[in-house]
Amino acid sequence: MCGIASLWSKRPLNKPKFEDALDTLSHRGPDGRGTWYNERGTLALGHRRLSIIGLDTGAQPISNQSGTIHLIANGEFYGHENIRRDLQAKGHHFKTNSDSEIALHLYVEYGLDFIRHLRGEFAFIIYDETQNRLIALRDRFGIKPLCFTHNQDGLYIASEAKAIFAMGVKAEWDEYAFIHSCNLQYTPTARSLFKGVSQLQPGHMMVYDGEALNITKYWDINFPTEPITPQRSDEEYITAFRDEFEQSIRLRLRADVPLCVHLSGGLDSASIAATAMKIHGAPLDCFTVSFAHEGYDELPVAQEMADHLGAPLHVVRVSQDDLINTIEDAVYYSEGLAINGHLAGKYLLNKAIRAKGFKVALSGEGADEALAGYPHFREDMARFGDRDNGGQAADLQSLYQSNDKLAGVFLAHGKTLSLDAVNAALDYTPSFLSAKASLGYRAAALLSDEYITSTDYFADMIGSFDIAGQLTGRHVVNQSSYLWTKLTLANYILRTLGDGCEMAHSIEGRVPFLDHHLFEFAAKLPMHLKIKDMVEKYILRESSKPLITPTLYKRQKHPFIAPPVSRFAGSMLHDYIQDMLRSDHFAHVPFWDKSKVRNWLDSLPKMDAKDQSAAEPILMMLFTSSLIAKRYKLGSAAK
């Protein structure tokens, strides 16, 4: 993985300033840097390299033989060896051993249709002098970030917004995006928290010729319409899934540097670790986060699995002091609001991985999206999965009892904002959106009166999707999974918790469950192979059963959640948060009513344990918004 930046300016650009902007991404690429400028000095491509494949010859930008087409890439392209051989047979000559170079030659060979040949985690830019056009792409799920600003001065593109600011774009709050986040946790899919800084959405391509900017979708998640008629026996499906899963991991074990594995106490990471070691033929180093409070610490389960595999387990213990010491940097690199201290946990996990000499880590993100793993999907199954027979509401009480720590984050708790628009569009309300609406209800109560509007952000959100083309006629669990993948996975799990915390320490995260071949296979599965008798990820459990411990085979989903600060903060952490929320930096977050916030903070100790836990996302949003204001020197809001 690397850091990339580009500027197509309406006038000759300031090269030293662009070079400095590129260096704001040095954490993404400490192993090398490179730039290319056109003859007029109006277009720049910049690259910060984290060397993973082709260590000695992979410097970028990379140009074709004639020196007229240029590439900067962030990510990994899997199966590149076979693609390289095919292209060489067609007469292409390669300059490097890097996997990135195949994108350049595929473009030369196939034009804009080249994307269908690429498999992996990537964001990259190609400038074609012969066509005078710049092409930028982001991978299908948004594993790697790419943001941009298009204004009267030109087009700015970078892996992170901080590089765009360093190029000269002013850092300001985006009022709509911030209030949108307060209502349902996420910024709109094509925006960021910063005015004028957009995100290239997952599965999209941008083409720019110096004037017109065209963005098109090249891939989407296509769940089949109901009913899904099984084409194989369950045993055959399980075998086929295992084959696809092993192929995805086999591709992601290819690296010219040391590689390790995340190992929590969950089925996803355990399945990856066990399968990777089966393919690798030897133990791999594993890393896990350990929290101090019972019910949030998965170390005993992770240790049991590591012992089962004969693999070394590196334990990263995260305390409240660690939260104080790291959360500001974690927010700076992630460029987003956090809803829990797990942001600091992920940041410290990757710091420890780097300290041990690793550059690549396999991680379990995407399994719950592909295979309906979250408890709110089971709630949807119980409420709406069999509506003709009245659902399975009797299962809900045990579901809520066994996931009591997730109230207000994954499962609804208390009053909610209106979800009428969502229900009207879908004919049901996904349970996770009910949870976000309960979060939004609490957050909205703390907004300044001038920022309380009649805007229905849930209506805006659901209206941004192709309901008829992508959701209508699909199983309700698949509809919920589609929306969750586009909102939570892309905007929070992959960007804030994933890439932001990984690349802060120059770690390349690889996510086998988000291989698009594997995901497309999973999308077509009959629902009983995902949720069977209210047990989630049935097909993964069965395919991995021979390799994992009985404990993990039987264990239900346990999301990566840190002990809530709102409930467990000690005196030092409590004072730190109180000081921050009464500081000048908090005054630079104009959206919150300072008096309402102080009263709310005073009421926290009087809440019961469940209400305190449900207050955690709000407390962390308050806290991290003040840290963003501090690190990015933000002032008033910009509409």
Side-chain angles (χ1 to χ4, degrees):
M1 299 298 176
C2 305
I4 59 176
S6 175
L7 173 55
W8 188 329
S9 176
K10 298 292 186 180
R11 60 187 62 86
L13 53 82
N14 184 326
K15 291 183 180 180
K17 191 171 187 177
F18 180 78
E19 298 280 347
D20 289 343
L22 182 61
D23 287 341
T24 66
L25 302 175
S26 60
H27 54 282
R28 301 187 68 90
D31 299 331
R33 70 189 312 281
T35 52
W36 176 87
Y37 299 93
N38 67 352
E39 291 184 357
R40 295 174 57 201
T42 56
L43 193 151
L45 301 176
H47 187 263
R48 292 290 319 209
R49 188 182 184 209
L50 177 63
S51 54
I52 302 293
I53 301 288
L55 304 184
D56 298 328
T57 65
Q60 296 186 35
I62 303 172
S63 302
N64 66 339
Q65 274 191 294
S66 61
T68 57
I69 304 176
H70 315 276
L71 165 80
I72 49 175
N74 166 31
E76 293 294 342
F77 301 113
Y78 300 117
H80 64 92
E81 299 92 344
N82 291 337
I83 294 173
R84 177 187 293 261
R85 283 192 290 270
D86 290 344
L87 288 167
Q88 287 172 330
K90 295 177 184 292
H92 291 261
H93 298 279
F94 284 73
K95 296 180 178 180
T96 77
N97 294 321
S98 167
D99 60 300
S100 297
E101 191 175 354
I102 66 166
L104 182 69
H105 292 275
L106 285 170
Y107 169 74
V108 172
E109 184 68 25
Y110 298 107
L112 294 181
D113 194 40
F114 74 124
I115 184 58
R116 67 184 179 89
H117 298 273
L118 292 173
R119 180 177 190 173
E121 301 124 359
F122 51 78
F124 64 92
I125 299 170
I126 289 175
Y127 174 62
D128 184 344
E129 293 186 65
T130 66
Q131 301 287 327
N132 191 37
R133 67 182 180 187
L134 181 148
I135 303 105
L137 290 99
R138 191 175 178 200
D139 66 65
R140 295 163 177 87
F141 297 97
I143 302 164
K144 305 318 298 174
L146 197 64
C147 52
F148 67 95
T149 292
H150 182 218
N151 60 25
Q152 70 277 4
D153 297 322
L155 177 66
Y156 306 73
I157 311 176
S159 297
E160 299 175 13
K162 57 181 67 66
I164 291 178
F165 301 146
M167 289 185 221
V169 173
K170 185 179 179 181
E172 299 178 273
W173 287 112
D174 183 319
E175 176 189 324
Y176 179 88
F178 189 93
I179 305 301
H180 192 283
S181 299
C182 292
N183 276 256
L184 61 151
Q185 185 185 331
Y186 319 111
T187 59
T189 55
R191 296 172 79 151
S192 73
L193 290 173
F194 306 109
K195 179 188 177 183
V197 179
S198 302
Q199 299 183 78
L200 184 61
Q201 294 184 67
H204 281 66
M205 174 191 297
M206 173 197 302
V207 179
Y208 181 65
D209 63 3
E211 297 294 336
L213 181 69
N214 295 305
I215 297 176
T216 56
K217 180 171 65 176
Y218 69 83
W219 186 88
D220 208 344
I221 305 167
N222 292 308
F223 288 110
T225 55
E226 290 290 302
I228 300 175
T229 303
Q231 303 297 312
R232 317 177 189 183
S233 68
D234 286 3
E235 291 73 19
E236 288 171 328
Y237 272 118
I238 291 167
T239 298
F241 175 84
R242 185 184 298 118
D243 291 343
E244 292 281 355
F245 185 48
E246 289 184 358
Q247 173 66 0
S248 176
I249 292 176
R250 185 175 290 106
L251 290 171
R252 284 161 178 79
L253 287 175
R254 171 74 173 90
D256 296 336
V257 296
L259 179 148
C260 66
V261 184
H262 292 181
L263 182 62
S264 67
L267 174 65
D268 310 337
S269 62
S271 298
I272 290 173
T275 304
M277 293 182 210
K278 171 187 170 185
I279 295 168
H280 184 61
L284 293 168
D285 284 67
C286 298
F287 287 78
T288 195
V289 171
S290 176
F291 295 116
H293 292 275
E294 185 179 355
Y296 297 91
D297 186 22
E298 298 185 89
L299 176 56
V301 184
Q303 187 66 65
E304 180 185 7
M305 184 64 200
D307 293 342
H308 176 72
L309 296 172
L313 182 66
H314 305 273
V315 180
V316 182
R317 300 186 187 276
V318 178
S319 67
Q320 290 189 349
D321 287 349
D322 293 320
L323 178 65
I324 295 172
N325 294 330
T326 63
I327 191 69
E328 183 176 321
D329 284 341
V331 169
Y332 170 74
Y333 287 111
S334 297
E335 299 184 346
L337 303 177
I339 60 165
N340 179 258
H342 56 197
L343 179 66
K346 276 296 188 86
Y347 183 86
L348 290 167
L349 171 67
N350 287 285
K351 181 179 181 180
I353 289 172
R354 185 67 180 189
K356 290 292 185 180
F358 295 96
K359 283 187 173 184
V360 179
L362 300 186
S363 186
E365 285 81 5
D368 297 303
E369 289 73 20
L371 300 170
Y374 288 112
H376 50 76
F377 292 147
R378 281 177 281 152
E379 181 175 3
D380 288 339
M381 188 71 171
R383 289 187 184 277
F384 315 115
D386 189 18
R387 283 189 280 192
D388 291 340
N389 295 315
Q392 305 173 38
D395 292 311
L396 290 177
Q397 184 176 0
S398 62
L399 178 68
Y400 270 77
Q401 287 177 344
S402 60
N403 292 277
D404 62 322
K405 297 178 180 63
L406 306 182
V409 181
F410 289 88
L411 300 173
H413 178 72
K415 294 181 179 180
T416 71
L417 298 174
S418 173
L419 290 160
D420 291 346
V422 174
N423 194 68
L426 303 179
D427 195 29
Y428 85 107
T429 299
S431 299
F432 88 89
L433 287 179
S434 295
K436 300 310 172 185
S438 67
L439 179 159
Y441 183 88
R442 289 186 290 277
L446 303 180
L447 292 173
S448 297
D449 291 344
E450 65 181 296
Y451 294 107
I452 298 175
T453 71
S454 59
T455 302
D456 187 337
Y457 291 91
F458 281 88
D460 288 357
M461 177 276 297
I462 201 65
S464 70
F465 290 104
D466 178 8
I467 304 296
Q470 298 299 140
L471 296 172
T472 301
R474 277 70 171 184
H475 194 287
V476 291
V477 172
N478 285 337
Q479 292 185 57
S480 296
S481 180
Y482 181 93
L483 293 170
W484 173 273
T485 300
K486 297 292 185 177
L487 294 169
T488 313
L489 183 70
N491 283 352
Y492 189 72
I493 296 173
L494 293 177
R495 175 63 188 102
T496 305
L497 295 179
D499 181 88
C501 292
E502 292 159 357
M503 293 305 290
H505 301 290
S506 308
I507 296 295
E508 175 177 290
R510 296 182 177 181
V511 280
F513 285 108
L514 292 179
D515 180 278
H516 76 279
H517 291 273
L518 175 63
F519 204 97
E520 288 171 350
F521 174 87
K524 296 178 174 61
L525 289 172
M527 189 53 61
H528 77 272
L529 290 169
K530 298 180 179 181
I531 301 176
K532 188 168 186 176
D533 299 327
M534 292 299 287
V535 175
E536 77 277 13
K537 292 181 287 197
Y538 172 76
I539 195 169
L540 177 60
R541 288 180 193 277
E542 296 305 313
S543 68
S544 301
K545 186 176 182 179
L547 302 177
I548 62 177
T549 64
T551 301
L552 276 164
Y553 173 75
K554 297 173 184 176
R555 194 171 191 241
Q556 71 166 312
K557 174 67 182 180
H558 187 288
F560 180 66
I561 295 288
V565 170
S566 55
R567 182 178 172 189
F568 296 111
S571 59
M572 184 180 296
L573 181 56
H574 176 271
D575 291 346
Y576 176 63
I577 292 174
Q578 291 282 342
D579 290 346
M580 180 59 72
L581 295 184
R582 299 173 193 272
S583 71
D584 291 341
H585 303 296
F586 191 61
H588 290 147
V589 190
F591 314 103
W592 305 115
D593 184 299
K594 309 310 182 282
S595 176
K596 292 178 184 177
V597 169
R598 285 194 295 270
N599 291 336
W600 182 79
L601 289 171
D602 291 341
S603 73
L604 266 178
K606 304 169 189 175
M607 297 180 186
D608 64 28
K610 195 167 186 178
D611 285 340
Q612 284 180 337
S613 294
E616 169 79 347
I618 313 306
L619 181 61
M620 291 303 295
M621 289 172 73
L622 291 165
F623 183 35
T624 54
S625 64
S626 67
L627 293 174
I628 288 176
K630 176 184 178 183
R631 290 299 294 267
Y632 287 94
K633 298 180 173 60
L634 300 179
S636 61
K639 293 181 183 281

